[in-house]
Each structure stands twice: as structure tokens, then as C-alpha cells.
Amino acid sequence: GAPQYGLRDVKVAAWNATNDYGTEVDIPSVQLMGTTLATVSAQLEGDDTITASASRAVGGEVRVRFGSISIAALEVILGNASTASGSVQDHLMVSGGDNMPYIGICGKALAEEGSGDTHVFIPKCKLMGDLTIAQLEYGQFAIPEATIAIVDDATYGLINVVEHATAADVAIPPTNIS
């Protein structure tokens, strides 16, 4: 699965409960999936030196940048269902006070050497910051971007990095991990 090059695919799914996810939805023309592990740490000082250090993984953050507005992906991330009627193909409304749901997200990068890949699976996370749904601009594509906070999942933890000798499809959760 190494060295990894680019970003081939990212999918999101509603987190319904531990080990239970909704239908996977593709992030179209995905440009970025960046994952950062957050830690809490401290140092014990005494006797004119550092006598102990402690550090614990506590959460993290995922940044995702879409290549176009996707109502299907926004439905999962925002927890709202879209509607269609008459000449309106799809309509997604977000209201003040809407609660953001937990979701799972998984991204895939192909190996530059060999036929493998690497998947990064975040089992439980939630939109906690601003979401740039669209920046509509002359001569540019609309590029939504979200920063999503990672929460520990009882079964799959915070972050899973999975290497395959032969490239595999993105699944939430990835096949054969426990």
C-alpha cells in the first residue's frame, strides 16, 4: 500500500450506532481528506528536570474538500433529507437549530508502486465547525469544504489506517477490520 499517491475515493455514511452505518455516499471529485490526531499531554517537572511525560490520543480532525456540490453527501454530513417536486430536481434545506449527526468517513489512496492501496477510516465524527457549502465564482468550480471533529468509537477507536496488497473498494467500515 505504499508509497501513497493522490486521493482516489472518499465515502461518508451516517453513524447509526456502534458497528452500524447507513448507506455509503461518494464525495464527488474529492480533492482533499486530511486527518489530524489530537492529543492531550503534560510534563512533570521537579528537581530541576523533567521527571515524567504523559500523552494521550483524545480525538482529532478531518478536513474534506469536495470537487462539486453534492446534495447526497451534504444529506449525510448535515443529517437532513432532500426533497424533489415539480421542476426542482433536488432541494436540501438547513434550518437554525438543526443538530449535526455522527458520520463515518473513509478515504483511499493508491500505492504508487505495486497494486495496493491505503485506506484511512474515521469511524465516528461530526461537523463541529463551519462548512463552506459553496463558493460560487466566475471561472471557478464550486468547492465545498468541511472540518469535522473525530470522536472515539467503542469498537473502531479514533482513526484506522488500513493497507491492502491489492487495491480494494472503499467501505464503511473497511472489510475485515475489528
Side-chain angles (χ1 to χ4, degrees), residues 145-166:
E145 186 169 335
T147 301
I148 303 167
I150 300 171
V151 176
D152 195 36
D153 177 75
T155 301
Y156 298 114
L158 294 167
I159 300 168
N160 295 265
V161 179
V162 182
E163 286 189 342
H164 298 107
T166 302

Side-chain angles (χ1 to χ4, degrees), residues 121-177:
F121 170 53
I122 311 302
K124 187 178 180 184
C125 51
K126 180 184 283 199
L127 180 67
M128 296 289 288
D130 294 337
L131 166 64
T132 302
I133 292 176
Q135 182 164 326
L136 306 176
E137 184 178 348
Y138 175 77
Q140 301 294 320
F141 286 100
I143 308 291
E145 186 169 335
T147 301
I148 303 167
I150 300 171
V151 176
D152 195 36
D153 177 75
T155 301
Y156 298 114
L158 294 167
I159 300 168
N160 295 265
V161 179
V162 182
E163 286 189 342
H164 298 107
T166 302
D169 290 337
V170 173
I172 298 177
T175 308
N176 297 326
I177 70 165

Side-chain angles (χ1 to χ4, degrees), residues 84-139:
S85 64
S87 64
V88 175
Q89 179 179 337
D90 219 350
H91 169 237
L92 179 68
M93 183 173 77
V94 180
S95 298
D98 285 355
N99 290 325
M100 300 299 113
Y102 284 115
I103 63 172
I105 187 167
C106 188
K108 166 184 173 174
L110 295 177
E112 184 58 23
E113 299 170 5
S115 59
D117 66 11
T118 300
H119 295 206
V120 177
F121 170 53
I122 311 302
K124 187 178 180 184
C125 51
K126 180 184 283 199
L127 180 67
M128 296 289 288
D130 294 337
L131 166 64
T132 302
I133 292 176
Q135 182 164 326
L136 306 176
E137 184 178 348
Y138 175 77

Side-chain angles (χ1 to χ4, degrees), residues 7-12 25-27 30 33 105-108:
L7 177 60
R8 180 52 57 105
D9 192 19
V10 173
K11 297 199 183 319
V12 293
V25 174
D26 186 61
I27 302 284
V30 67
M33 181 183 160
I105 187 167
C106 188
K108 166 184 173 174

Side-chain angles (χ1 to χ4, degrees), residues 3-63:
Q4 300 80 22
Y5 182 77
L7 177 60
R8 180 52 57 105
D9 192 19
V10 173
K11 297 199 183 319
V12 293
W15 183 91
N16 298 324
T18 300
N19 297 330
D20 184 31
Y21 293 90
T23 303
E24 298 159 3
V25 174
D26 186 61
I27 302 284
S29 298
V30 67
Q31 296 180 348
L32 170 77
M33 181 183 160
T35 305
T36 304
L37 179 67
T39 60
V40 63
S41 58
Q43 291 184 322
L44 178 62
E45 299 174 353
D47 298 330
D48 291 333
T49 189
I50 296 171
T51 58
S53 294
S55 184
R56 304 285 187 270
V58 295
E61 184 176 276
V62 179
R63 277 185 54 217

